[in-house]
Amino acid sequence: AFLAGLESVGEAMADPAIAGFVDNLLRHEVIPTLDLPADELHAFADAVQRRFRNPFIRHALLSIALNGMTKFRTRLLTPLLAAHQQTGNWPTHITFALAALIAFYRGESAGKSWPLQDEPQWLQHYADAWKALDADQLSPQQLVHGVLSDAQHWGEDLTRQPGLATVVTQHLQNIIAHGMREALSQLR
């Protein structure tokens, strides 16, 4: 949402494209991987989305992005792997979210920069990787490989998951080439 030009969770949830993305990710990619009654899970998803839409609470997206790498690992890695195990396909919205996180860690877009807050090794990794990419010394595929291969962070080398790096790289290339809004509009 931040890369789409929004500043807060409320703005994101008022944006049809972002709200639709969140709803699809929750209902079609996360909920099916959980072993709880579907009606309870959908009620929980409804409650979360209502809370996100609360106009009296301003959750700044940059504040929420604090330690985004760890948050992705703890909140979305298990559903990502479970969805692939269940369907044989990589979930579109979760893999796109990972690519968007990698793009976010560039720390700038269209002349606008923002502070990044995470573990020092991730901040250095991304600073070096994006600088090398900008100098044509690194490809988006290599950047994604460098992120996914960190077994210490992920608990395993995710480049060994067949096709995952390719899917994330395709999303990242689309975000780089077309911007977040256009890349988001191309999701199925």
Side-chain angles (χ1 to χ4, degrees):
F2 186 81
L3 293 176
L6 305 173
E7 301 286 331
S8 72
V9 173
E11 291 171 349
M13 295 307 290
D15 183 289
I18 302 295
F21 175 87
V22 170
D23 191 62
N24 279 316
L25 185 144
L26 286 172
R27 293 188 194 280
H28 301 294
E29 296 180 358
V30 174
I31 286 176
T33 69
L34 301 174
D35 191 24
L36 294 169
D39 58 338
E40 289 179 30
L41 292 169
H42 285 284
F44 177 74
D46 291 340
V48 167
Q49 291 183 54
R50 273 193 307 277
R51 183 170 51 93
F52 286 172
R53 286 185 173 98
N54 184 336
F56 301 106
I57 301 174
R58 180 157 164 60
H59 290 114
L61 293 170
L62 282 180
S63 295
I64 293 168
L66 173 70
N67 294 321
M69 293 298 295
T70 299
K71 286 177 179 172
F72 190 96
R73 183 189 70 225
T74 58
R75 297 175 184 169
L76 289 173
L77 180 59
T78 298
L80 170 74
L81 298 174
H84 183 259
Q85 185 175 28
Q86 289 174 359
T87 68
N89 297 311
W90 291 108
T92 300
H93 293 78
I94 298 175
T95 55
F96 185 88
L98 181 53
L101 181 65
I102 294 169
F104 174 81
Y105 273 81
R106 186 176 205 157
E108 69 86 21
S109 178
K112 177 183 175 185
S113 63
W114 52 88
L116 299 171
Q117 299 177 15
D118 211 312
E119 297 173 19
Q121 74 267 15
W122 278 119
L123 296 176
Q124 190 61 56
H125 174 85
Y126 279 114
D128 294 343
W130 279 108
K131 183 178 179 182
L133 190 133
D134 289 339
D136 290 328
Q137 298 168 345
L138 188 74
S139 69
Q141 181 181 13
Q142 291 169 313
L143 190 159
V144 169
H145 188 277
V147 171
L148 297 183
S149 66
D150 189 330
Q152 184 175 350
H153 176 75
W154 301 111
E156 67 177 280
D157 179 347
L158 292 177
T159 63
R160 295 183 181 199
Q161 293 285 339
L164 177 59
T166 300
V167 171
V168 174
T169 299
Q170 289 168 344
H171 287 311
L172 180 61
Q173 288 172 319
N174 201 19
I175 292 167
I176 292 168
H178 303 290
M180 182 55 67
R181 288 262 177 212
E182 180 62 26
L184 188 60
S185 75
Q186 295 175 15
L187 294 181
R188 298 184 198 332

